[in-house]
């Protein structure tokens, strides 16, 4: 008992500082999560929900739209995460060198990050507009024209992926710049003395030492691939034929267009499980293989 009292006396100040954050986490994270889990076992209109057990889960897992949305989200994640990370790493290594205009270039590449996604969607909506858009105007200079980028199911996901890479790469670049500037210089000096080529130094020195940064950036990028859906409301609304629909936007449609709170709660639980599984895999498995 004395040890317990001593523990609280020594840590009471820290717990006091953490209390406001814990209250906000409880109100806006823990409680909504538990409420969604509870609602997932109910069905019917919002005014008279009835307990349905696992029926809602069976309905969701046999839904063709849900299957298509999950495939879309997987493709979206595969398309955006690796490309954004490697592009950000390349830009950081390039801009980490001392050269004229590096500050201006860093600002230019980071600038898309500070633009709200709604504004980015409007910018790229103009770029992708058939015939009159910036992309088609550029292609017309070579005597050709592009497809209906946002109206063709075969091209719409590619168009979304390119836009998100453009927005996220500069944000991730800042983390890599910070990581590069904290790497030990003596390791590079030893590599130069041993006659290592630039590629060998990147492969055997820079890349392994940047793995902690890469893990963090990868988790953020994967999270973004599941939560960046504002652009869908402006550009495609999940179309055509759900070709660009993603899980979070599907939840929004089910909850606030169809007013099916039970099904939306099931989809929310699935999203939470997916995100927790990815995060757990990264921290519990990949984190152990990283050199700090």
């Amino acid at each position: 008992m004395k040890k317990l009292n001593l523990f609280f006396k020594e840590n009471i100040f820290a717990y006091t500082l953490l209390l406001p954050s814990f209250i906000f986490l409880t109100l806006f994270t823990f409680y909504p999560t538990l409420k969604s889990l509870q609602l997932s076992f109910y069905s019917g209109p919002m005014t008279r929900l009835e307990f349905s057990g696992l029926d809602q889960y069976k309905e969701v897992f046999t839904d063709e739209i849900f299957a298509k949305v999950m495939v879309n989200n997987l493709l979206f994640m595969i398309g955006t995460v690796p490309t954004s990370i490697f592009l950000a790493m390349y830009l950081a290594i390039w801009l980490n060198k001392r050269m004229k205009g590096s500050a201006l270039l860093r600002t230019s590449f980071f600038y898309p990050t500070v633009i709200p996604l709604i504004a980015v969607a409007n910018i790229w909506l103009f770029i992708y507009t058939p015939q009159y858009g910036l992309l088609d105007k550029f292609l017309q200079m070579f005597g050709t024209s592009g497809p209906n980028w946002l109206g063709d199911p075969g091209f719409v996901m590619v168009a979304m992926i390119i836009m998100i890479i453009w927005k996220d790469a500069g944000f991730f670049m800042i983390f890599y710049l910070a990581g590069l500037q904290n790497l030990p210089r003596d390791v590079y000096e030893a590599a130069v003395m041993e006659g290592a080529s630039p590629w060998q130094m990147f492969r055997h020195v820079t890349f392994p030492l940047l793995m902690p940064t890469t893990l963090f950036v990868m988790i953020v990028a994967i999270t973004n691939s599941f939560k960046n859906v504002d652009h869908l409301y402006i550009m495609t609304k999940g179309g055509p034929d759900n070709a660009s629909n993603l899980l979070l936007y599907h939840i929004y449609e089910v909850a606030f267009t169809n007013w099916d709170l039970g099904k939306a709660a099931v989809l929310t639980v699935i999203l939470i499980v997916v995100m927790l599984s990815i995060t757990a895999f990264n921290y519990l498995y990949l984190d152990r293989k990283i050199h700090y």
Side-chain angles (χ1 to χ4, degrees), residues 152-173:
D152 189 329
F155 288 94
V156 64
M157 186 57 69
V158 176
M160 297 292 104
I161 288 171
I162 292 171
M163 182 189 71
I164 295 299
I165 291 172
W166 176 82
K167 178 169 172 57
D168 285 349
F171 176 61
F172 301 145
M173 176 195 72

Side-chain angles (χ1 to χ4, degrees), residues 24-38:
F24 277 98
L25 275 173
T26 302
L27 291 176
F28 299 108
T29 301
F30 300 142
Y31 174 73
T33 301
L34 293 175
K35 192 66 176 178
S36 296
L37 183 61
Q38 179 191 3

Side-chain angles (χ1 to χ4, degrees), residues 7-251:
F7 173 80
F8 278 108
K9 285 181 181 179
E10 292 177 347
N11 295 278
I12 191 65
F13 182 66
Y15 285 118
T16 304
L17 293 176
L18 289 171
L19 182 60
S21 297
F22 180 75
I23 292 172
F24 277 98
L25 275 173
T26 302
L27 291 176
F28 299 108
T29 301
F30 300 142
Y31 174 73
T33 301
L34 293 175
K35 192 66 176 178
S36 296
L37 183 61
Q38 179 191 3
L39 281 174
S40 67
F41 297 105
Y42 289 81
S43 61
M46 185 173 60
T47 52
R48 49 185 183 86
L49 290 171
E50 297 178 356
F51 183 79
S52 60
L54 296 175
D55 290 346
Q56 287 277 34
Y57 285 87
K58 294 177 182 177
E59 182 181 341
V60 167
F61 283 113
T62 56
D63 186 7
E64 293 182 1
I65 296 178
F66 170 73
K68 192 169 187 177
V69 165
M70 291 302 294
V71 171
N72 287 346
N73 228 136
L74 182 62
L75 292 174
F76 188 71
M77 181 181 71
I78 293 172
T80 56
V81 174
T83 309
S84 298
I85 289 174
F86 284 109
L87 181 59
M89 190 183 298
Y90 173 78
L91 291 174
I93 292 172
W94 176 43
L95 295 175
N96 194 45
K97 301 174 183 177
R98 292 183 180 179
M99 58 183 184
K100 290 183 179 180
S102 61
L104 179 62
L105 287 171
R106 290 177 187 179
T107 304
S108 300
F109 288 125
F110 182 72
Y111 182 69
T113 302
V114 302
I115 306 176
L117 191 54
I118 293 292
V120 169
N122 280 288
I123 293 170
W124 283 83
L125 186 62
F126 165 70
I127 293 174
Y128 287 138
T129 301
Q131 298 182 358
Y132 305 104
L134 196 61
L135 184 55
D136 266 22
K137 287 292 184 183
F138 174 76
L139 292 174
Q140 287 169 15
M141 294 171 59
F142 300 95
T144 184
S145 61
N148 186 350
W149 300 101
L150 301 180
D152 189 329
F155 288 94
V156 64
M157 186 57 69
V158 176
M160 297 292 104
I161 288 171
I162 292 171
M163 182 189 71
I164 295 299
I165 291 172
W166 176 82
K167 178 169 172 57
D168 285 349
F171 176 61
F172 301 145
M173 176 195 72
I174 296 299
F175 294 105
Y176 279 115
L177 276 172
L180 285 168
Q181 291 169 7
N182 287 319
L183 296 184
R185 305 312 307 171
D186 55 338
V187 179
Y188 287 94
E189 292 171 1
V192 171
M193 291 177 64
E194 292 292 332
S197 65
W199 167 248
Q200 288 174 326
M201 282 194 288
F202 170 76
R203 181 183 174 186
H204 298 290
V205 179
T206 304
F207 187 74
L209 291 177
L210 282 177
M211 282 307 293
T213 304
T214 301
L215 177 64
F216 172 77
V217 168
M218 184 168 63
I219 291 172
V220 174
I222 292 173
T223 304
N224 285 347
S225 70
F226 280 90
K227 75 180 184 65
N228 282 342
V229 294
D230 300 3
H231 58 289
L232 295 181
Y233 187 82
I234 298 294
M235 301 178 77
T236 65
K237 289 185 168 54
D241 192 26
N242 289 299
S244 64
N245 204 354
L246 301 178
L247 182 54
L248 190 56
Y249 188 78
H250 184 48
I251 293 172

